[in-house]
Amino acid sequence: MKKSIFYAFILAASVWAAGCGKAKQPLELVTDQYGVAYKVNPSEKNVYLVFTGHYSTDDDGHFENFDGADDVLEIMAEHDVKGSFFPTGNCFRVDRYQQVIKDIISQGHYLSAHSDKHLLLCSYGDRSENYVTEDSLTRDIQGMEAELEKFGLTKDQYYWMIPPYEHYNQFSADILRKLGYHLVNPTQGLVTGMDWMGPEHPQYHSAQKLIDNIWKYEAENTLDGAVILVHAMDYPNRTDDDRLYTHLGEIIEKLKEKGYGFKTFKDVIAAEK
């Protein structure tokens, strides 16, 4: 299916910043055919590091978890950058993640969620085949909201979200927007979200291959406004060195060397006000 990609401009109020003498800049989004953003302000030399996590309750978090979040926070602090975190509601219910979620908030990162139960919204084979109804997706999002609000967050602070599995169709994207959410997905052409696959998977990419993809994409397109996804998860089918987040420091250092800044969805929300 041919993708219809267009620029959406959200114009801020034409007011002058107090004492600055500068007009507020518009927010520029590059969106896919479903209206989901995958680049933010592509005329600016900033990247958006985003981290997702899920807790698989059927195996007590053996395969899917949020176990890499502490290390990610430590690396981000060492390099003095902020990111955006999107764990599922399941993660918020796990005792061992209570502190790291509080740390995400207290350290100034953006925190939203990635749905409540990590529902697959539609078929991979036929995207028009829905796996959710409006009622079932609404209930899932309500569960997600309940968990976020236990940590003192209000919807005006977390309404940018990544759809579960980064996979959706027009039906599910429209429902999420109806529920008050703005949707973002990793930048098309970056394959860092494949960091969950082990060597047994036919589409396996080693951590080094994923890193190479970032720099190849940058050389061909620039990373201006790019949304770069890294799973803050310890998948058992990958070794420590093969987990992309363990290389986050070197990625950040090279981005800085190339002149990139780092923004979060806190910045996006501020630009929309």
Side-chain angles (χ1 to χ4, degrees):
M1 179 186 298
K2 187 176 181 180
K3 294 180 179 177
S4 57
I5 302 174
F6 61 93
Y7 285 89
F9 296 90
I10 302 174
L11 297 179
S14 57
V15 296
W16 294 86
C20 295
K22 292 183 179 179
K24 191 172 183 180
Q25 295 299 308
L27 179 65
E28 184 182 352
L29 304 175
V30 186
T31 64
D32 64 18
Q33 68 195 83
Y34 306 107
V36 176
Y38 63 86
K39 281 188 179 180
V40 182
N41 287 338
S43 59
E44 298 179 3
K45 200 174 178 68
N46 296 306
V47 298
Y48 295 76
L49 299 177
V50 301
F51 305 93
T52 60
H54 176 53
Y55 187 83
S56 47
T57 56
D58 57 342
D59 63 2
D60 295 325
H62 175 67
F63 186 70
E64 293 177 298
N65 51 66
F66 201 38
D67 290 353
D70 278 311
D71 288 342
V72 169
L73 283 183
E74 184 176 340
I75 294 167
M76 301 287 275
E78 287 173 356
H79 292 85
D80 194 26
V81 299
K82 304 298 182 189
S84 301
F85 290 78
F86 301 85
T88 61
N90 275 4
C91 295
F92 288 82
R93 299 183 187 97
V94 177
D95 288 344
R96 71 175 184 263
Y97 301 143
Q98 300 302 296
Q99 188 58 52
V100 74
I101 291 170
K102 292 175 184 176
D103 291 343
I104 290 169
I105 298 169
S106 66
Q107 293 175 23
H109 301 280
Y110 177 80
L111 178 64
S112 181
H114 191 44
S115 79
D116 192 44
K117 303 290 189 184
H118 208 231
L119 302 180
L120 182 59
L121 304 180
C122 59
S123 170
Y124 281 107
D126 178 5
R127 209 156 183 157
S128 67
E129 183 181 356
N130 296 313
Y131 286 168
V132 294
T133 64
E134 182 169 357
D135 285 347
S136 66
L137 182 50
T138 298
R139 287 194 301 271
D140 183 80
I141 295 302
Q142 288 171 341
M144 177 193 87
E145 291 172 347
E147 296 305 319
L148 283 160
E149 289 167 12
K150 288 177 184 176
F151 286 85
L153 298 176
T154 56
K155 195 168 184 175
D156 62 319
Q157 297 173 294
Y158 63 74
Y159 62 80
W160 274 93
M161 70 172 290
I162 297 177
Y165 292 96
E166 299 84 57
H167 186 72
Y168 44 84
N169 58 15
Q170 197 67 62
F171 174 76
S172 50
D174 285 346
I175 292 170
L176 290 169
R177 279 189 282 265
K178 182 179 176 181
L179 293 171
Y181 289 92
H182 296 191
L183 306 178
V184 63
N185 226 32
T187 294
Q188 297 176 3
L190 292 173
V191 299
T192 52
M194 298 174 74
D195 60 351
W196 65 273
M197 300 174 181
E200 76 287 349
H201 197 286
Q203 295 184 50
Y204 165 73
H205 285 54
S206 67
Q208 187 57 56
K209 190 172 181 180
L210 295 173
I211 294 168
D212 292 343
N213 166 255
I214 296 173
W215 308 129
K216 182 175 186 295
Y217 181 94
E218 196 269 343
E220 296 174 353
N221 306 278
T222 83
L223 288 167
D224 296 356
V227 179
I228 305 174
L229 170 66
V230 178
H231 287 104
M233 303 165 74
D234 284 353
Y235 290 104
N237 53 356
R238 298 181 79 106
T239 63
D240 284 345
D241 190 57
D242 204 25
R243 293 178 177 134
L244 184 59
Y245 77 78
T246 65
H247 300 272
L248 183 59
E250 66 186 77
I251 294 170
I252 291 172
E253 287 176 6
K254 190 165 183 177
L255 286 167
K256 285 185 174 182
E257 289 172 6
K258 290 175 173 287
Y260 288 95
F262 300 83
K263 292 288 186 77
T264 77
F265 283 86
K266 280 188 172 184
D267 299 301
V268 176
I269 289 174
E272 290 178 312
K273 292 180 178 177

